[in-house]
Amino acid sequence: MCGIVGYLGARSPVPLLVDGLRRLEYRGYDSAGIVVPVNGRLEIVKAEGKLDRLVEVLQGRELAGVYGLGHTRWATHGIPSQRNAHPLLDAKGRLAVIHNGIIENFVSLKKRLAGEGWDFVSDTDTEVIANLVSSHFDGDLRVAVERTVAELEGMYAFAVLALESSEPEIVGARSGPPLVLGRGDGEQFLASDPTALLAHTREVVFLENGDLARLTAGGYEVWNSSGEPVERPIVRLNWDPVQSEKGGFKHFMLKEIHDQPQALQDTFAGRVDFESGEVGFDALELTSQEVAAIDRIHLLACGTSWHAALVGKFMLEELTGIPVEVDYGSEYRYRDPLVREGDLAVGISQSGETADTISAMEAAAQRGAKLAAICNVVGSQVTRLADGVLYTHAGPEIGVASTKAFTTQLVALYMLGLYLRQRLGRPVENALLADLAHLPQAVAGVVAGERDFEELAGHFFEASDFLYIGRGANYPIALEGALKLKEISYIHAEGYPAGEMKHGPIALIDKSLPVVAIATGERVFDKVLSNMQEVRARDGIVLAVTDRDAEALGGGADHVIRVPRVSELLQPIINVVPLQLFAYFVAVRRGADVDQPRNLAKSVTVE
Ligand code: M6R
């Protein structure tokens, strides 16, 4: 949730730290701060609010040094304030700490340390780390951190630097949230996420849980949880740093909506042979025997990825005939799920860092499931946990509201269905592939109509509530459309199965409640149409997303958003795009902070 970054090398650290924080700001934006040792002093600059506030405060300050740490915060313990902003010092002012995560036993540690005379000035759990490291520090920072982590319970990635180190050094520790090292030319980096490093190096090392790392001018060293020196593989990232820029768009979200045709193409490119119908993945291999042994597939995810899982259930059940269960990560881990040895559990996560999804995957693995991951971030925690990975190749997604990650997850789920079908000895007919190849073009067609959504938003941006309805695989699209609208525009919106309206929500309908109805395909089109008529009969306003012309709706809609038609299983991938654009333009019209909505963060690395 917070973003941490560290630099050690010959360049001036402040601009590099600020640039790294800029790229990590999507992880949290309640406050930001940096620390740089200069002439035997720890120079700390912090500011409440977004990174721009810190940049203002830094203006005109010369902070020459060779290393430093930076932090952007999503508050867990203690309100967003200057006092609770990181970096945090120990009570003796010898060292500074930045931290992402939660120290669960901080209350007892704080009490003990306070009893030993260590003062606390913030409400954070992080200050406990600072004082603990200091209490163990007698010249060897790595050993002090090792002793500290032995006392910590919870999930953390943190980094420390100390004035009394014999040479410039940064020590980092990881247990849960990610921590990545970057190897530059005579310089070392450390960050929560490789996007902070892309402008400087593509060679990164993902630390494992329990690892400690020490960065010095000479390079880096890593120790595992048993204190043994270990070599972690160097991963070369092929993400283009330009992909992490806005590229002329006003917001990352809009850019990422526009990225979708290419991202969808990248997700299936090289994996589906459109002539032979063969589907294969580099990092996921299941034998026919393993697939035949799957009694049930468990899809585990949170938020938008959970909506992808709901659509995936339709895809996988239809393509494979294997029953699929969909769970929220946060629910699955605390119930006693029925998993048979050999079942397939698939964690779906854009970031690969979501704590609840990770724990749910662990719960499934403990019960004997084979684990797969559908993920966008190479080397992230869910990919390390899984036996096989299906990368979505969407490229960096920076906007907090997920867009291209969602549509590429849907393509990945569809391809997984085709793959399993093949392993079960069932044919992958041409009809199953034809529309997949056509998807990027169809989505490009919707995105090209961007202006219509801007205009539509003009009619609706003042509404205070919305209802989204759909049936079958488009019910999760209604949920996703509602989530997009509420998270970036703060308008209350609810997704509902269209057929369930008459069992309650229809009581809400009046002329002030816009209803977005998804009416595509054949299977349930007439049924949704009837539900739209029921809304109209009660003075409700209907916006229809449809693959027909307005006449085919028989006057059932006040506004019609036309989308191209593809097969029923792939249609949700098209249908969600107008809902993303609609939410975006409504939020812009309301003057909302689209890329960094209040109270949210991109990666939810705490429970
Ligand atoms: O990185 P993940 O896919 O695991 O993230 C899951 C959710 O936190 C995420 O989808 C969230 O709901 C987004 N803000 C939705 O736009």
Side-chain angles (χ1 to χ4, degrees), residues 145-329:
V145 171
E146 198 172 74
R147 291 185 183 148
T148 298
V149 297
E151 298 186 70
L152 299 179
E153 287 166 21
M155 313 254 290
Y156 51 79
F158 69 85
V160 193
L161 57 76
L163 280 178
E164 292 157 32
S165 289
S166 55
E167 60 176 324
E169 66 175 337
I170 294 172
V171 176
R174 176 194 179 186
S175 181
L179 197 54
V180 182
L181 309 183
R183 201 173 64 158
D185 189 8
E187 53 189 6
Q188 322 297 332
F189 299 86
L190 158 153
S192 298
D193 175 323
T195 47
L197 312 179
L198 281 180
H200 312 291
T201 178
R202 305 279 181 88
E203 293 197 343
V204 300
V205 173
F206 292 93
L207 294 185
E208 301 275 350
N209 270 332
D211 281 357
L212 293 192
R214 177 172 179 258
L215 315 185
T216 58
Y220 66 85
E221 298 157 281
V222 181
W223 293 264
N224 66 14
S225 54
S226 313
E228 296 152 352
V230 282
E231 295 249 340
R232 298 290 179 215
I234 296 172
V235 178
R236 253 200 89 73
L237 296 172
N238 56 10
W239 281 5
D240 183 343
V242 175
Q243 285 184 302
S244 318
E245 309 285 345
K246 280 191 204 147
F249 288 93
K250 192 169 172 202
H251 296 102
F252 278 111
M253 183 181 175
L254 186 60
K255 180 208 172 243
E256 287 156 6
I257 291 173
H258 277 261
D259 281 348
Q260 288 179 112
Q262 186 60 51
L264 297 171
Q265 175 90 37
D266 292 345
T267 306
F268 64 70
R271 289 159 157 184
V272 180
D273 183 329
F274 286 95
E275 281 187 10
S276 66
E278 196 65 28
V279 180
F281 310 114
D282 325 331
L284 176 69
E285 179 60 53
L286 293 165
T287 63
S288 295
Q289 286 83 345
E290 282 171 325
V291 177
I294 300 172
D295 200 46
R296 224 180 281 189
I297 300 173
H298 307 252
L299 299 181
L300 310 171
C302 302
T304 285
S305 298
W306 181 76
H307 296 157
L310 292 176
V311 179
K313 175 180 166 73
F314 285 87
M315 293 173 165
L316 291 170
E317 288 189 343
E318 192 162 322
L319 292 170
T320 68
I322 302 171
V324 176
E325 276 192 20
V326 177
D327 264 274
Y328 286 116

Side-chain angles (χ1 to χ4, degrees), residues 62-96:
E62 286 292 319
L63 293 179
V66 291
Y67 66 130
L69 302 173
H71 187 270
T72 180
R73 180 167 186 247
W74 186 84
T76 58
H77 296 59
I79 57 163
S81 66
Q82 170 100 2
R83 192 165 56 89
N84 291 329
H86 302 208
L88 285 151
L89 293 178
D90 70 304
K92 296 182 178 164
R94 306 159 82 200
L95 53 85

Side-chain angles (χ1 to χ4, degrees), residues 302-305 349-351 354 400-402 409 483-484 487 604:
C302 302
T304 285
S305 298
S349 174
Q350 186 285 131
S351 60
T354 303
V400 165
S402 196
Q409 284 168 349
L483 177 64
K484 286 291 86 89
E487 67 183 335
V604 186

Side-chain angles (χ1 to χ4, degrees), residues 521-573:
E522 296 295 339
R523 211 178 283 185
V524 288
F525 176 79
D526 291 340
K527 305 285 171 204
V528 178
L529 207 55
S530 305
N531 301 133
M532 286 159 56
Q533 294 289 5
E534 287 156 14
V535 174
R536 297 269 289 156
R538 287 159 182 83
D539 279 344
I541 309 150
V542 176
L543 282 85
V545 173
T546 182
D547 51 5
R548 317 274 213 289
D549 58 27
E551 271 171 36
L553 301 180
D558 300 86
H559 300 269
V560 175
I561 302 167
R562 184 87 188 259
V563 289
R565 178 186 284 208
V566 291
S567 64
E568 300 248 357
L569 280 184
L570 292 172
Q571 190 68 43
I573 302 174

